[in-house]
Amino acid sequence: MRITEHPILEFQRGEEISFFFNGQELKGFEGETIAAALHAAGVRVLGHSHVMHRPRGLFCAIGNCSSCLMDVDGEPNIRICVEKLKPGMRVETQQGKGCLR
């Protein structure tokens, strides 16, 4: 589920690294966004709406909305569509509005 060739854009991939999503070890490439790595791993639901609890996926992919907010390394409300993946990162689905630990 990754774009490998594009007529205009060039993709420079970093090293393959491991990270954790909801306790499960996944692989991604250093420097890509967390959302891109999750999408490539088949994750489509990033959270649920606060009122109706409907599944939410990637929406704007430029950091303007709140559809992709997750807990990253214990910090809530991180927009994973613009946050770069790092080795060993722990990403958790955020429940509700998030709370500081």
Side-chain angles (χ1 to χ4, degrees):
M1 292 301 300
R2 292 183 194 279
I3 298 172
T4 56
E5 292 184 32
H6 192 277
I8 299 170
L9 302 174
E10 291 183 27
F11 299 103
Q12 296 180 2
R13 301 224 187 282
E15 291 186 36
E16 187 176 63
I17 58 174
S18 295
F19 71 104
F20 297 89
F21 175 64
N22 291 340
Q24 178 183 2
E25 186 175 9
L26 298 176
K27 301 284 186 188
F29 291 98
E30 193 166 18
E32 75 180 344
T33 64
I34 298 169
L38 290 175
H39 187 81
V43 176
R44 299 295 182 268
V45 176
L46 303 178
H48 292 83
S49 63
H50 298 294
V51 177
M52 301 295 287
H53 307 289
R54 291 184 233 172
R56 296 179 108 169
L58 193 59
F59 184 67
C60 78
I62 58 172
N64 283 341
C65 72
S66 60
S67 289
C68 68
L69 295 178
M70 289 197 177
D71 286 347
V72 177
D73 290 333
E75 187 176 339
N77 299 320
I78 302 297
R79 286 180 166 85
I80 64 162
C81 68
V82 293
E83 185 75 19
K84 301 291 185 184
L85 188 64
K86 296 175 189 152
M89 202 173 239
R90 296 198 173 275
V91 180
E92 302 287 333
T93 300
Q94 183 168 298
Q95 303 300 321
K97 297 179 181 178
C99 61
L100 293 173
R101 292 180 178 86

